[in-house]
Amino acid sequence: MFNHLSAALALLPRGLFSSSRRTFTGACRLLGRMEPAVVRCLPGEPKLTISFCLDGSQKQMLRDQDETLGKVLARISNGILKSQVKVKKSKKKKGQQPCEAPELTVVKLYYGEDEVPDTALNSEAWQDGAVLQVGDVKYSVQRNVPTFTTAELPVSLLAGFPVCPKLEVEFGNLQDSEFTWYKENVPNTSPEAGAEVPGQTSGWTEVGCGRVHVPSNQDIGCRLKLCCTPKDGTRSGLAKEPVSVGAVEAGPGVCTFDNRHAYTVREVEWPSMRVVSYNILADVYAQTELSKTVLYPYCAPYALQLDYRQNLIKKELAGYNADIICLQEVDKGVFVDSLTPALDAFGLDGVFRVKEKQHEGLGTFYRRSKFKLLSCHDIMLSEALTSDPIHSELLKRVSANSTLKDKILQRSTTLQVTVLEDLNKPDRKVCVANTHLYWHPKGGNVRLVQMGVALQHLSHVINEVAPGAPLVFCGDFNSTPNSGVFQLVSEAAVPEQHSDWSSSGLEDTCSMELLSNFPPLLSACSQPAYTNYVGGFHGCLDYIFIQPDSMQVEQVIPLPSHQEVTTYEALPSVAHPSDHIALVCDLRWNP
C-alpha cells in the first residue's frame, strides 16, 4: 500500500520536505526509545484510530481513512493551542503571571527520511515505522500492533484454584504474548517497612508468570494484578494491567474431584483419547427459590453462587487433561466469559449450542493439538421431527396420539453434533454427539421419541459427511439403565411393550417398536450406581456411548467414593459444583 505513497513522494519537489531532515534522521536512530503512537487501520472500515500520550494525557483520535493527513496534523496542533489558552486563562483568573502568548505547535509526520505530504490520505500516510513529531516530542508510529481488546480477571478468586483471565487479542497471538502476575502488598507498619524487597514494585510483588495463575494460601487477602503484553512473533503492543475486583479467598479444601485427578495427571497419547461428559448445573436453575429451598436446601447458599462454582468447575475440567469434553446445562454467559477463556488456556477450543427460548445449552470442547473442527450439525429434536423427511415415518406413528405429539413438540431439547478430524491421521474423522434429554420423571415416552430422532439424524450425518466415522455419544439422558432409552441404545431396539411408552399415563400411550440406526452401543463407563445425587433422588442418568467395533475402553476414571459424595449430605456442595458427577474415560481409537 505504501509503495504508491513512496512513488508519489519521489515525484514531489524537494522543497516540500522539512529543512530539519538532518535532525530528524538523528531522531530516527532513537526510534526504539520513542513513545508509541498506535494506529489501528483496517481495509474496508471507514475510520482509523490514532492513540498517543501527550503531556501525561492519553489522546485518542477517530478519523476518516480517506481524509487528508494535513487535517489530522492541524487538529493535533489546534488541540494543543486550545489547551495552552485554557491554562493561560486559568492563571489570569488566579492572579498569577500568565506565560507568553501561546504559539502554534509544529506537527509533522515522517517516513524514512522524508516528510509525508499533507495531501496524503490517512489510510496510506500512517505507516508502521513512521515518526510523528509534535513540537520537540517524537513518536514511533505502530500500525495494527498486537492489542488486547479484552483483558479481565474473574470476580471470585480462591487459593489453590486456577485464575483464568478473559483475553481477546487483535493483530496478535495469545501463545506469543507475555504474562506476569502480581499480588498486592499488604501494608506493613514494621520498622523495616521501608526496605526494598526484590521483585516488589509500586505496592505489588511478582508471584508468577504464564497465562494461568494458581494463587497460594500466602495470597489470601490480597488482590491480584496481571501485566499482559500482546505479541505476534517479535512484534509487541502496549501492555494492559487488569486488577482483580476482590481479594483471594480461602478455598474449600479437598474437593470430590481431587482424587480423580491422580488418574489424569497427563494427557493420553495417540491413538487414545480422553473423553468427559458432565452436566455442570446451569446458574439459571441453581439460583431459583425451588433449588435453594426444595432441591438443594442442604447446600450452603454461597456454594450455589455462580462465581464460586465456576472456580471449582474450571479446576476440575483442567485437571482431567481431556481431549473431548461434552458439557450440558451451560449458561451462555458462562461459555463465553468463563469456560472458553479457561479451557482455551489449557489447549481446548469449543462450540456452543443454546436451547431455543432458554439461556443455557450444550458445549463441546476439543483439544486443538489433536483435532480439527470440520463441521457442526446441531438440531432441535422437535423441529427436526416435523421438518426433516428422514423422520417422516416416526412422525406418522407419533401423530397417532396428539397429546403425546404436543408434549414432544413443546420441548426445546437439542442435539449438538460435531465432526472432528484427527490431526495425527487426517483421513480419520469422529462424530461427537452431545445432548440433554427431557427431564420429567414421567417423560420416558418423550425421551424415547427424542432418542429415535437423535439416532436417525446421527446416522444421516455420518453417512453424508463422514462415512465410516465412529460415534461418541455423550450426555445427560435422564434415563436409568432400565429405561427404554438405554435399551434402545444398548440393544438397538425397544419393543412396543416397554413400560416407558405409557410412562405418563394411558392417554399419552403410543406403543411402537423403535429401532436404532446403529448396532448396539456400549456405555464406556458402564452403569455406575449414580451419576446424579440430590436429596430426593440418586441414580445413573449420564453416559458416554461408543461403538465397540471402533473404540475400546482403556480406563474409566473412578467416580468419587460414596463418602466423598455424601460428606455434605448430597450434591451440589462446597466441595462439588454440580448435582451431577462427571464421567471420564480413556478410549483407544483403532488406528
Side-chain angles (χ1 to χ4, degrees), residues 177-221:
S177 300
E178 295 177 351
F179 305 94
T180 307
W181 293 85
Y182 300 86
K183 73 173 179 180
E184 191 173 31
N185 296 331
V186 177
N188 189 350
T189 57
S190 67
E192 296 81 16
E196 190 173 319
V197 179
Q200 183 171 308
T201 57
S202 305
W204 297 88
T205 300
E206 184 177 335
V207 291
C209 59
R211 191 165 156 191
V212 176
H213 176 63
V214 180
S216 68
N217 287 336
Q218 284 70 42
D219 300 331
I220 293 174

Side-chain angles (χ1 to χ4, degrees), residues 24-206:
F24 169 72
T25 304
C28 283
R29 296 192 189 102
L30 302 175
L31 189 65
R33 285 178 274 173
M34 292 182 193
E35 286 295 312
V38 177
V39 175
R40 182 186 184 277
C41 180
L42 291 177
E45 292 188 0
K47 304 281 187 181
L48 84 164
T49 58
I50 306 165
S51 308
F52 59 98
C53 187
L54 183 65
D55 295 331
S57 174
Q58 189 68 31
K59 308 297 181 185
Q60 180 97 0
M61 306 181 72
L62 183 65
R63 310 298 294 184
D64 290 329
Q65 289 201 30
D66 57 4
E67 175 188 52
T68 57
L69 171 66
K71 291 184 178 180
V72 180
L73 301 183
R75 180 65 179 269
I76 296 172
S77 183
N78 290 332
I80 296 171
L81 182 62
K82 287 180 182 179
S83 298
Q84 292 172 343
V85 170
K86 281 184 181 179
V87 171
K88 184 178 179 181
K89 287 181 178 179
S90 176
K91 287 186 175 181
K92 193 172 182 180
K93 282 183 180 179
K94 295 177 180 178
Q96 299 176 5
Q97 185 66 31
C99 303
E100 296 179 8
E103 296 181 2
L104 202 62
T105 302
V106 176
V107 182
K108 294 181 180 297
L109 184 67
Y110 298 91
Y111 187 78
E113 293 190 352
D114 297 325
E115 180 183 339
V116 182
D118 288 350
T119 53
L121 299 182
N122 280 329
S123 59
E124 293 192 343
W126 297 92
Q127 290 298 312
D128 197 48
V131 173
L132 172 66
Q133 181 173 351
V134 182
D136 295 329
V137 183
K138 295 180 175 66
Y139 301 85
S140 65
V141 174
Q142 299 178 6
R143 177 167 170 146
N144 294 346
V145 294
T147 304
F148 276 117
T149 54
T150 301
E152 302 170 357
L153 297 183
V155 174
S156 175
L157 309 173
L158 297 181
F161 288 75
V163 178
C164 306
K166 182 182 180 184
L167 300 166
E168 294 176 3
V169 67
E170 188 177 41
F171 313 122
N173 189 323
L174 285 174
Q175 280 68 44
D176 293 339
S177 300
E178 295 177 351
F179 305 94
T180 307
W181 293 85
Y182 300 86
K183 73 173 179 180
E184 191 173 31
N185 296 331
V186 177
N188 189 350
T189 57
S190 67
E192 296 81 16
E196 190 173 319
V197 179
Q200 183 171 308
T201 57
S202 305
W204 297 88
T205 300
E206 184 177 335

Side-chain angles (χ1 to χ4, degrees), residues 229-247:
T229 304
K231 300 187 75 174
D232 182 25
T234 57
R235 294 191 81 206
S236 296
L238 296 177
K240 281 202 171 184
E241 296 190 344
V243 177
S244 64
V245 175

